[in-house]
Amino acid sequence: MSEAALSTVSGVTRRIPDVTWCDLFEFQARRTPARVCLVADEVAWTFHDLDLWGERLARMLRDAGASPGTVVACAMTRSVRAVLGVLATAKVGAVYLPIDPALPAARLDAILADARPAVVLTDVVRLAERADLVLSTEDWQAELSGYAGHRPPRAAAGPAYLIYTSGSTGLPKGVSVGHRSLVNLYGELADGFFPAGRGPQRVAHGLPLFFDASWNPLLWMAGGHELHLLPDPVRTDPASYVDFVREHRLSVVEAVPAQMSALVEAGLLEGRSRPRMLVMGGEAIGQDLWSYLRAAPGVTAVNLYGPTECTVFTTACRLDDHATPSIGRPIGNTTARIVDEHLRPVPIGEPGELVISGSCLALGYLGRPGPTADRFVTAGERRYRTGDRCRLMADGHLEWLGRLDDQVKIRGHRVEPGEVEQALLTSPGVRQAAVRVEGSEPRLVAYVVLDTGSVGRLRERLRAMLPSYLLPSTIVPLEAMPLGPTGKIDRAALTPPVAVRRTIVLTSTQELVAAAFRVQLELPVVDADSDFFDLGGHSLSAAALAARLRAQGVPCSLRDVLLRRTVARLAELVPATEEGRTP
């Protein structure tokens, strides 16, 4: 049987210009200098403005030691300075490394030790001792105004940026992505997404700046569109996000499916002022959301799929092209194959591992030739083994069926449970640890055997070691781990111990709130002192909890959930008329 009859599908062939994404931005700045390209910090920045200040910051970076091919780590707050950091790094010809300023010190130090940046740039005072350059939040323009422009020659063949992902060894690993891959992605956006409406679009940037998907809105900007950088308090609160979209008449919104669902519930598609295009990626989309958006009039919804190793997204599917969730077809200059364990393509319709080849592939893992050779295999051509179980349907669409290993996406972040296990095993008092992915909304559950200490102290130690998306939603103490025939931990047999039944006494108002906790967190039991965030809640689920309580008649906002974390405290918001109501 020829390969054409097997599970192989390719995107269109497109010429990739020998430029960097920064060259594309500078071309646009010369073409439309007076057009607004970025709205941030309540200021509308033109292409000329951003290009000018980017050149000044580039000169400052060069004077601090940045040069073509070196790494510039940017730990920036969500402001115009963060966008300038990306642009200035590219103008120098250096490699951009985004870092979340809120990372625990241990993880920040691990990333900096691995990446060995020539310059660390920040605008956060508490990180000043780790930084080479600190831009003040108030006088940064005065600091940069004395620097002349800087336009060195730039090579389009080298790395453009680094993104650190979770690693099973307990240490984060850096994925190095080249300019050619990024420019190929720009070509895909220009051909398939930019024509979403007539003229320049207003694009919402509500994604985390240290998330590789944040490149999508930046490339929209380089394509001549107007980018609106949502402040943190706005982007994390669905109601405020929707108000922002309406106030600024934004036409393109991108979010992970969980957040998009919350935005839809908050009224994103209600009224006359609604976005024209919704873009989702980072995790699987459920059928309910898929069907709802597919039927929404006047809206184009697109599902994106792609590992970090394949430059943001590798396949795309317009929801109106398929009735059930699909990851679609490969982007330009990209081939997808469904293969067996020997990397041989399987027949159409049969499940197997998805492997990707083409211009989207990253350069590899920084300083890790072994893992690079393991995942980026050479079989006639260079291919990336995604570890995702998929199948190619007869209509040419790819269907995602889950993971072949225990890796998972949580709120758009790729998570290796093994990294959490390593963090647990290095903690004092922990004899054994195992971490599993559980629940319909994937979450990490840790099982531990403790020699000393308590679950509370262990959780506090993890908070100091790991970013929030790697924290287990639940830590279950066990007397001993279940073992299989070979003496290894039997992970399938891991279950919480049967608790001694106890009577939980709740008032009627507390029961109303407790019921919302149980449904939102998929837990059988909570009591008056149960803390939403200690039980595994996060900002998105907190917003969903607030919406759930409002639907029950409780005047509850996201801020209330953040400040009143327990059942008892939130129950104080329940109106007296709700007393005795059945939730």
Side-chain angles (χ1 to χ4, degrees), residues 252-276:
V252 179
V253 172
E254 181 171 357
V256 296
Q259 185 179 29
M260 188 66 75
S261 180
L263 293 176
V264 169
E265 289 182 9
L268 180 67
L269 299 183
E270 297 173 5
R272 298 181 60 185
S273 180
R274 54 163 57 183
R276 294 190 185 98

Side-chain angles (χ1 to χ4, degrees), residues 14-153:
R14 180 187 297 119
R15 189 184 74 85
I16 305 173
D18 191 28
V19 297
T20 69
W21 86 271
C22 185
D23 294 324
L24 298 170
F25 175 85
E26 291 174 350
F27 172 77
Q28 188 66 48
R30 292 192 298 270
R31 186 173 165 220
T32 58
R35 180 186 294 177
V36 172
C37 74
L38 176 67
V39 178
D41 310 331
E42 300 183 350
V43 175
W45 302 84
T46 66
F47 277 95
H48 171 75
D49 293 334
L50 211 63
D51 193 48
L52 173 65
W53 290 104
E55 288 189 2
R56 288 172 172 169
L57 181 54
R59 184 57 181 262
M60 179 184 274
L61 291 174
R62 192 190 72 169
D63 290 352
S67 60
T70 62
V71 174
V72 173
C74 295
M76 309 292 283
T77 56
R78 196 174 182 83
S79 69
V80 66
R81 296 181 298 278
V83 178
L84 287 177
V86 189
L87 183 58
T89 300
K91 284 178 174 289
V92 175
V95 183
Y96 170 66
L97 168 59
I99 291 181
D100 180 5
L103 280 180
R107 190 172 182 85
L108 175 60
D109 289 343
I111 291 175
L112 293 179
D114 189 69
R116 292 178 291 180
V119 177
V120 177
L121 172 68
T122 190
D123 59 358
V124 180
V125 173
R126 71 176 183 84
L127 298 180
E129 62 182 23
R130 290 180 169 85
D132 302 285
L133 285 178
V134 181
L135 285 182
S136 69
T137 57
E138 297 178 357
D139 301 323
W140 65 270
Q141 288 175 287
E143 294 174 14
L144 289 180
S145 60
Y147 285 85
H150 177 63
R151 288 181 180 266

